[in-house]
Amino acid sequence: MHTRVQLFAAWCIPAFIVSYLIGFIGLSGFVPPPSPTLSAAEIAALFDQNRDAIRGGQLLCMVVSGLFYIPFTVLISVHMARVEGRYPILAGMQLTGNAILIVYFILCSLMWSAVAYRDDYDPQLVRLVNDATWLIFVMMYPTYVVALLAMAIVGFIDKRPQPIWPRWFSFITLWVVAGGIWGGFATFFKTGPFAWNGLLGFWVPVSSYLIWLLLLFPLLIRLVRRSAVEST
């Protein structure tokens, strides 16, 4: 039974990716992100043209951020704690960092839903909330930086013959950490690579994180199955 629960948690990774992309891209139409240089009237028009789809898409994003992201986050922490032993500080850092990240995901969905809730908002208010939400979305990197750094460190300190994950994955995790920090500079730019729709402000952090999740999935499946064999 425990193995089945762990496998379910691991399979939540592709479930999260697919369902979140459906809500964020397929329904809400948020990729590519709207330019920060758009006028208030243009931003309001984007929500007017896609109001119901945005509400439905962000409802889906909000639900799966909790339903699917929490299980594999806990699964990672459980196995990290086995590596650390009596004082699982790094496991706690991973769990806390991702828990806060989940709150940010849900907060962004709620704010976009609020903008789409009525059709008579002042366009300036619509742009204000949209600006704030996009900035939160690309600038929430400190939370997953903490989580990913903890995971990378555990991978390096695990000296067992079969470590929690390969060392190459820890190096890739550090690469994702490095790519994520550029989103923080979006607060200074409305155009160019650092803007929230730019190469470094959006595309590099988001695409590298998605690739990282796809690499993590088979490693977790292998880890769960190996642990099941070791416990018998």
Side-chain angles (χ1 to χ4, degrees):
M1 181 62 182
H2 292 168
T3 300
R4 290 181 181 178
V5 172
Q6 291 185 66
L7 287 173
F8 164 78
W11 274 99
C12 283
I13 293 179
F16 167 76
I17 293 173
V18 172
S19 54
Y20 196 91
L21 291 181
I22 289 173
F24 200 81
I25 301 176
L27 294 175
S28 299
F30 283 169
V31 175
S35 172
T37 62
L38 292 180
S39 68
E42 290 172 319
I43 292 296
L46 291 177
F47 282 88
D48 284 336
Q49 296 163 6
N50 203 28
R51 189 171 305 279
D52 289 338
I54 290 174
R55 286 187 287 191
Q58 291 310 303
L59 175 61
L60 177 60
C61 289
M62 181 184 68
V63 170
V64 302
S65 293
L67 181 64
F68 293 140
Y69 211 102
I70 291 175
F72 72 81
T73 295
V74 175
L75 175 65
I76 293 168
S77 289
V78 167
H79 284 277
M80 288 176 63
R82 293 182 62 192
V83 176
E84 292 184 88
R86 188 174 179 181
Y87 301 104
I89 304 300
L90 294 170
M93 290 170 58
Q94 191 276 148
L95 182 63
T96 304
N98 271 323
I100 298 174
L101 180 65
I102 293 167
V103 172
Y104 279 135
F105 277 140
I106 294 174
L107 176 63
C108 287
S109 292
L110 288 172
M111 292 175 68
W112 276 315
S113 297
V115 172
Y117 183 64
R118 299 182 188 275
D119 60 5
D120 58 352
Y121 286 137
D122 186 310
Q124 294 291 343
L125 177 60
V126 173
R127 184 168 70 166
L128 171 63
V129 178
N130 184 68
D131 284 354
T133 310
W134 274 108
L135 288 173
I136 292 172
F137 190 81
V138 301
M139 293 179 67
M140 58 187 177
Y141 69 91
T143 57
Y144 70 81
V145 162
V146 170
L148 267 62
L149 278 177
M151 291 179 64
I153 293 171
V154 162
F156 289 130
I157 67 174
D158 189 355
K159 303 302 182 183
R160 296 176 299 176
Q162 290 186 308
I164 185 171
W165 36 69
R167 287 176 63 85
W168 62 260
F169 183 73
S170 291
F171 283 111
I172 288 179
T173 301
L174 293 178
W175 170 70
V176 176
V177 168
I181 64 175
W182 301 113
F185 293 94
T187 188
F188 298 107
F189 298 92
K190 296 181 180 65
T191 60
F194 292 102
W196 76 50
N197 65 333
L199 177 64
L200 297 177
F202 178 81
W203 294 103
V204 168
V206 172
S207 60
S208 61
Y209 196 72
L210 283 174
I211 293 171
W212 179 83
L213 283 174
L214 290 172
L215 292 173
L216 174 64
F217 168 59
L219 295 178
L220 281 184
I221 293 291
R222 187 174 68 179
L223 176 62
V224 170
R225 289 175 175 165
R226 188 174 71 231
S227 299
V229 172
E230 292 172 353
S231 63
T232 56

